[in-house]
Amino acid sequence: MLENADVGKLIIRLTLGGLMLFHGIAKLLNGIGFIEGELASHGLPTVLAYGVYVGEVLAPLMVILGYQTRIGALIIVFNMLFAIALVHAHQLLSLGGNGGWALELQGFFLFTAVAVIFLGPGRYKLKN
């Protein structure tokens, strides 16, 4: 029988990594021009935009596979902090159209990644 805590960790990893990976795939298909523009508008080098591929493709794959999971989750945390600071800072204390927090999705990614850092990958993972 499966250990409940390890199954729960696997579900959290697959959810966090899978949902974040969709954002990375969209950037692979559509480019990172928007992110380059946001960086430039904040006086930051646009080459930093390529970091989104690490934060939204590589790190989610690490989390999904359970390979260096805590490092992958930490990268996602930094990715989300940059996204919130560059694009969503004005929404930090705002409600969305349906009454929830305007940054629910960003908050989910950020705080779930923090939880994965503390929880670790669980039993069901690639061997490190």
Side-chain angles (χ1 to χ4, degrees):
M1 182 150 170
L2 297 175
E3 171 64 37
N4 289 340
D6 289 317
V7 173
K9 291 175 185 179
L10 176 63
I11 292 168
I12 290 170
R13 283 189 8 241
L14 294 176
T15 303
L16 171 63
L19 292 176
M20 180 62 80
L21 186 58
F22 283 119
H23 290 267
I25 291 169
K27 289 178 181 72
L28 285 170
L29 296 175
N30 301 312
I32 55 173
F34 172 76
I35 298 165
E36 289 174 322
E38 287 296 321
L39 288 164
S41 74
H42 287 83
L44 296 168
T46 58
V47 71
L48 293 176
Y50 289 95
V52 78
Y53 294 126
V54 175
E56 295 185 10
V57 177
L58 179 62
L61 289 172
M62 293 168 70
V63 169
I64 289 167
L65 297 172
Y67 178 77
Q68 298 295 326
T69 305
R70 286 185 165 110
I71 294 170
L74 182 62
I75 294 169
I76 291 173
V77 166
F78 282 114
N79 186 74
M80 293 316 305
L81 290 173
F82 266 91
I84 291 168
L86 291 176
V87 181
H88 302 287
H90 67 283
Q91 297 173 297
L92 268 175
L93 301 176
S94 300
L95 294 178
N98 295 323
W101 184 31
L103 298 183
E104 286 177 345
L105 182 61
Q106 295 81 6
F108 167 80
F109 288 138
L110 174 63
F111 295 115
T112 304
V114 170
V116 169
I117 291 169
F118 285 105
L119 291 171
R123 181 185 315 168
Y124 306 107
K125 62 179 180 167
L126 287 180
K127 298 293 180 196
N128 294 349

